[in-house]
Amino acid sequence: MLTLLCLAMTSAFTQSIKRPKLIVGIVIDQMRYDYLYKYYDRYDDKGGFKTLLNGGFSCENTFIPYIPTVTACGHSCIYTGSVPAINGITGNIWWDNDLKRSVYCTEDSTVHTIGTNTAAGLQSPRNLLTNTIGDELKLATNFKSKVIGVALKDRGSILPAGHTGDAAYWYDGSAGKWITSDYYMKTFPDWVVAFNEKKLIDDYYKKGWRTLYPPDSYSESTKDINAYEAKPLGSNSKGFPYDLAAFAGKNYSTVLSTPFGNTLTAEFAKQAVISENLGNDDITDLLAVSFSSPDYIGHAFGPNSIEVEDNYLRLDKDLGDFIRFLDDRVGKNEYLLFLSADHGVAHVPAFASEHHIPSGTLDVGSIKERLNNDLNEKMGKNNLILSIANYQINLNPDAIKFDDNKMAEVKKVIIDYLSKEPGIERVIDLENLGGATLNEKVKMMISNGYNPHRSGQLQIILQPQWMENYGNTGTTHGNWNPYDSHIPLLWYGWGIGKGQSNREVYMTDIAPTIAGLLHIQMPNGSVGHVISEVAK
């Protein structure tokens, strides 16, 4: 009798906890906050951005609380509520002080590719030191929930899906197929095989990339074709329209640098919802979708290009279509959706200079070589600097077999040398960060990005609008400045009220807010807070 009573009480309590059928996380790779409004008048009234802005809740002042502001760190932070200092994802690539080599964020030599015969699937979430909101959802439902990650980039799907994800799918550009690894499964689902066999990319290529509207109507952008723009769509390409037909059946990676990469991702995500029956019962599932193509396009052409504007106008339509699909498939207000970004981006330095904005680039490879030569002359030691990654200098512990005073001398030589380098604001000794005379926000971001096992010993702070040089074209991100760290955060659907807030919140607050709405535990490394304004 007591057992029956307990079961009845448990059942009643479970039914009283209201949760959405599906959580949909959308991360747009390289979306500055201002893109929400820069193109607002041109967004479709039925498109994704106006639907979310006018029907959901916008956190207008959402910031990334760490550096480097790069893809792997952003996706990890959003879903863990944590920072690189704790979750261990200190960059897309970092110098590992324990392994004494460079490490890619999701590399895993113990797994195998599922879906192709390439090495593109040798990936897993094992380098992530904390769990995710998806992992906590699994724990809360005794692993009945399904959690799936989808992105063209491996790190954009693997890190959000967490350690217990049912699947993470990413795109193998060498084969033109969606793949995974045997970390998640031993055999490929039939629905993924069938999707790959559609060869949608060839159809996209045959259409070519033409502007959605007449080119001369893109008044929010610089003229088409600029010397400082890269040419990811062919060395002979000369702006719009881009003829992509020659890539059909031959080159499946070029699609990454077109808006068709977004369309491909959305179509695959819809098929995942259908084939995996996500949101089809009363047990909450989670789908993490990242749109990677804006990053490829943004790096090549820069924020003020027609290519970026057209990409966002097309993405807006893809998002609107995806939201309508969710309404039909899962049910309006039956799913909880958030949209954010993993980082922003700086303007192309040459574009900024044209408009008299101080800017420039830093040749990190040259600096490393010159610094090592200088240290060799002064200290009599070769190769004291192993790596300069994520704007951090990694010193060679085997070559520096000095006492603490000698180590301090090495650091001083480096700091003195770099203080004369154009574009460098200052260099910080990370072991003495607490004593540095530095703006508190920047100091907090440095501290949150520092992990002693996966970070360097010295941090380079650049002047605004300066960046690492990747050639004479394009742009990048990674610094503390608002253009890299101010991101959109929109909430929509189940449990969400309409409105907006200008209160400063952080990327770390997304996962605990979801946990609060669902009444589950926040991820085990979370340092964020619940954004109470978003709830009805």
Side-chain angles (χ1 to χ4, degrees):
M1 180 66 72
L2 182 60
T3 301
L4 291 173
L5 180 61
C6 289
L7 286 172
M9 291 176 64
T10 300
S11 176
F13 180 75
T14 301
Q15 291 173 7
S16 69
I17 301 298
K18 301 297 183 183
R19 290 175 180 156
K21 291 183 176 181
L22 178 65
I23 302 165
V24 180
I26 295 177
V27 177
I28 300 178
D29 199 324
Q30 197 187 114
M31 183 173 182
R32 294 161 50 118
Y33 158 80
D34 57 338
Y35 290 169
L36 284 177
Y37 299 102
K38 183 176 182 179
Y39 311 127
Y40 183 86
D41 290 343
R42 306 205 75 185
Y43 288 144
D44 194 319
D45 288 339
K46 296 181 180 180
F49 292 119
K50 283 187 176 178
T51 296
L52 300 180
L53 282 167
N54 299 329
F57 194 94
S58 177
C59 296
E60 295 281 292
N61 275 300
T62 304
F63 286 87
I64 297 171
Y66 59 79
I67 51 175
T69 45
V70 297
T71 297
C73 302
H75 285 80
S76 300
C77 180
I78 286 171
Y79 287 91
T80 65
S82 189
V83 291
I86 298 170
N87 65 38
I89 304 300
T90 57
N92 295 330
I93 298 173
W94 61 80
W95 181 268
D96 193 292
N97 295 314
D98 298 328
L99 299 176
K100 298 181 181 180
R101 64 174 178 85
S102 289
V103 170
Y104 179 66
C105 56
T106 55
E107 69 171 57
D108 189 345
S109 61
T110 69
V111 300
H112 303 88
T113 304
I114 301 292
T116 63
N117 295 321
T118 72
L122 274 62
Q123 314 286 337
S124 85
R126 288 192 172 111
N127 287 328
L128 182 64
L129 302 180
T130 63
N131 74 2
T132 64
I133 189 64
D135 293 329
E136 289 294 344
L137 178 62
K138 284 273 198 177
L139 291 165
T141 62
N142 198 26
F143 300 93
K144 297 181 182 70
S145 295
K146 281 188 175 181
V147 175
I148 293 177
V150 172
L152 295 176
K153 291 184 181 180
D154 45 28
R155 56 189 181 271
S157 65
I158 292 169
L159 297 168
H163 296 281
T164 63
D166 295 273
Y169 297 104
W170 56 97
Y171 180 71
D172 183 347
S174 66
K177 294 181 178 180
W178 291 89
I179 63 169
T180 188
S181 80
D182 63 3
Y183 175 90
Y184 303 98
M185 61 192 73
K186 300 303 178 186
T187 57
F188 219 31
D190 290 340
W191 71 266
V192 182
V193 174
F195 189 94
N196 283 334
E197 289 177 349
K198 291 180 181 179
K199 297 188 182 299
L200 295 177
I201 300 149
D202 285 341
D203 293 335
Y204 299 148
Y205 282 156
K206 291 171 185 176
K207 293 178 183 177
W209 182 9
R210 290 162 175 77
T211 51
L212 197 58
Y213 305 105
D216 58 4
S217 71
Y218 284 68
S219 59
E220 298 301 323
S221 303
T222 312
K223 65 178 178 66
D224 196 16
I225 309 175
N226 293 279
Y228 52 71
E229 295 178 344
K231 293 181 177 291
L233 305 179
S235 59
N236 295 321
S237 60
K238 297 179 180 179
F240 287 105
Y242 289 102
D243 184 355
L244 308 175
F247 297 123
K250 300 175 183 177
N251 184 328
Y252 289 108
S253 60
T254 299
V255 72
L256 299 170
S257 298
T258 75
F260 301 128
N262 300 324
T263 307
L264 180 68
T265 302
E267 290 302 314
F268 189 84
K270 285 190 282 188
Q271 194 59 55
V273 172
I274 295 169
S275 299
E276 298 292 344
N277 290 313
L278 300 181
N280 199 39
D281 55 31
D282 292 331
I283 300 172
T284 305
D285 299 319
L286 187 150
L287 174 66
V289 184
S290 178
F291 290 94
S292 307
S293 284
D295 188 64
Y296 291 99
I297 296 168
H299 273 292
F301 298 101
N304 224 62
S305 63
I306 292 178
E307 285 82 359
V308 165
E309 181 175 353
D310 194 66
N311 168 66
Y312 273 92
L313 298 181
R314 289 177 176 276
L315 175 59
D316 176 57
K317 291 184 179 294
D318 282 333
L319 289 172
D321 178 67
F322 187 55
I323 290 169
R324 287 189 291 276
F325 163 79
L326 292 172
D327 287 344
D328 292 340
R329 178 74 187 184
V330 182
K332 195 172 180 64
N333 292 319
E334 294 288 348
Y335 60 91
L336 166 63
L337 183 150
F338 73 84
L339 181 148
S340 191
D342 54 351
H343 54 74
V345 69
H347 279 290
V348 177
F351 165 82
S353 296
E354 276 186 0
H355 296 276
H356 311 294
I357 298 171
S359 62
T361 60
L362 209 66
D363 188 339
V364 170
S366 171
I367 287 175
K368 178 187 173 185
E369 182 179 354
R370 288 186 280 118
L371 258 179
N372 268 327
N373 290 337
D374 189 62
L375 287 165
N376 190 26
E377 289 180 10
K378 290 181 170 65
M379 311 298 297
K381 292 285 185 178
N382 289 316
N383 299 318
L384 289 185
I385 297 176
L386 291 169
S387 168
I388 302 179
N390 305 313
Y391 298 106
Q392 292 180 348
I393 295 174
N394 297 271
L395 300 174
N396 187 343
D398 295 327
I400 307 176
K401 295 181 179 177
F402 307 130
D403 58 28
D404 290 342
N405 292 331
K406 279 293 185 181
M407 174 62 80
E409 186 179 343
V410 170
K411 290 179 178 179
K412 185 177 186 305
V413 169
I414 295 173
I415 292 171
D416 289 345
Y417 187 97
L418 291 180
S419 66
K420 302 178 182 68
E421 197 74 22
I424 294 182
E425 178 70 30
R426 65 186 70 189
V427 181
I428 305 297
D429 183 347
L430 288 170
E431 290 185 351
N432 297 310
L433 177 61
T437 304
L438 189 64
N439 176 273
E440 285 302 316
K441 182 169 186 174
V442 179
K443 184 184 289 189
M444 175 267 290
M445 294 176 75
I446 295 173
S447 178
N448 283 339
Y450 175 71
N451 181 295
H453 300 282
R454 299 177 176 182
S455 296
Q457 290 76 41
L458 296 168
Q459 178 77 52
I460 299 171
I461 308 288
L462 300 184
Q463 293 173 0
Q465 192 50 55
W466 278 72
M467 65 189 68
E468 187 173 351
N469 182 12
Y470 291 98
N472 297 319
T473 59
T475 185
T476 192
H477 49 85
N479 291 300
W480 69 267
N481 311 77
Y483 48 74
D484 282 350
S485 63
H486 188 192
I487 55 174
L489 176 56
L490 306 174
W491 301 86
Y492 181 80
W494 182 92
I496 302 301
K498 295 181 182 180
Q500 64 175 230
S501 170
N502 287 310
R503 181 171 69 87
E504 187 165 305
V505 298
Y506 298 96
M507 181 188 273
T508 45
D509 297 332
I510 297 172
T513 298
I514 296 170
L517 288 167
L518 269 61
H519 302 287
I520 65 174
Q521 184 59 270
M522 63 183 65
N524 60 19
S526 177
V527 295
H529 302 87
V530 173
I531 307 171
S532 57
E533 297 97 317
V534 306
K536 287 182 180 177

